[in-house]
Amino acid sequence: MDVVAEDVKQNAEDGKKKGSFWRELPVLIVVALALALLIKSFVVQAFYIPSGSMENTLLINDRVLVNKLVYRVRDIARGDVVVFSGVDSWDPEVQIEEPSNPVVGAMRWIGTAFGMVPGEKDYIKRVIGVPGDKVKCCDAQGRVTVNGVPLNEKSYLYPGNAPSDRPFEVTVPPGRLWVMGDHRSLSWDSRLHTGDPGGGTIPADKVIGRAFVIVWPFDRAKILPIPDTFGQPALQAAAAGAAPFVAGFAGAVPLVAVGRGFGRRLRRRR
């Protein structure tokens, strides 16, 4: 009799545990989604690659992780692959039809948030020039130069592509970046926006983060390093050499203005 009672009691407890699990499951799912969205918003976000503008570095349907904290501890660097928002500026490279069904729209939003579908106004490009850089194409050997230093782009440029099929020359304004796709013949990048405000450059504050790793498909998983050509000592020296001049010029302007004002007051007293 005692054995039967124990079995009944045990079954009742098991039933309560199972019922409790199913009641708690929706809460666990909501908490998991909230944590994932929190991480996505402030730390790391997955992005879907919808076009071939970065081939062969990134292929269509690749998923990359984007570090959203890195530019809080360092500046955006030449050679970084960045995701940025083109809202109210660049037209999308891939046209995505806006869903009319609100349920489908909600699913698309979730898919975009977790890198399962592309964002309509998010772009991914490589940074070629940072503020103050003079970016030009092409030199006598057909290469892109930054501050007069030629880039060796063979490690990431799409096979058979020229560094650029059109000449350009730009000095990157403060707070902006010159960006280009690795598949130059296919990429709608800074070169094709030279008639826009900013001369083709993008606002640095529109950068969402740095793409640092491919996570899908698994057979393509790899880190996305900064190519060696952007570490050339001559390139860094050229940029460092320009910095004092820019800083000196910026400092001279208010001094000249103050001097002129003082001179006017002195003349009036006379």
Side-chain angles (χ1 to χ4, degrees), residues 238-262:
F245 174 78
V246 173
F249 181 79
V253 171
L255 288 175
V256 170
V258 170
R260 286 178 177 174
F262 180 77

Side-chain angles (χ1 to χ4, degrees), residues 39-55:
I39 292 170
K40 168 257 177 187
S41 298
F42 299 104
V43 185
V44 174
Q45 183 175 353
F47 279 88
Y48 174 98
I49 306 302
S51 76
S53 68
M54 282 294 293
E55 292 173 338

Side-chain angles (χ1 to χ4, degrees), residues 106-131:
M107 295 299 293
R108 174 172 289 281
W109 182 85
I110 293 172
T112 301
F114 292 99
M116 294 180 287
V117 296
E120 184 181 1
K121 280 287 189 175
D122 294 331
Y123 300 82
I124 186 163
K125 300 286 184 241
R126 189 179 299 278
V127 177
I128 303 297
V130 296

Side-chain angles (χ1 to χ4, degrees), residues 147-217:
N147 301 324
V149 180
L151 300 179
N152 181 355
E153 303 189 278
K154 290 182 180 178
S155 67
Y156 57 86
L157 201 63
Y158 186 81
N161 271 195
S164 181
D165 55 4
R166 60 183 64 207
F168 62 85
E169 183 173 350
V170 62
T171 298
V172 183
R176 302 185 74 89
L177 306 165
W178 181 269
V179 296
M180 299 171 73
D182 290 353
H183 194 167
R184 298 286 161 79
S185 64
L186 192 63
S187 179
W188 194 274
D189 52 36
S190 286
R191 297 168 299 158
L192 281 82
H193 290 272
T194 53
D196 295 354
T201 60
I202 66 163
D205 61 9
K206 292 291 186 180
V207 172
I208 295 168
R210 180 193 173 205
F212 67 97
V213 63
I214 300 172
V215 293
W216 181 266

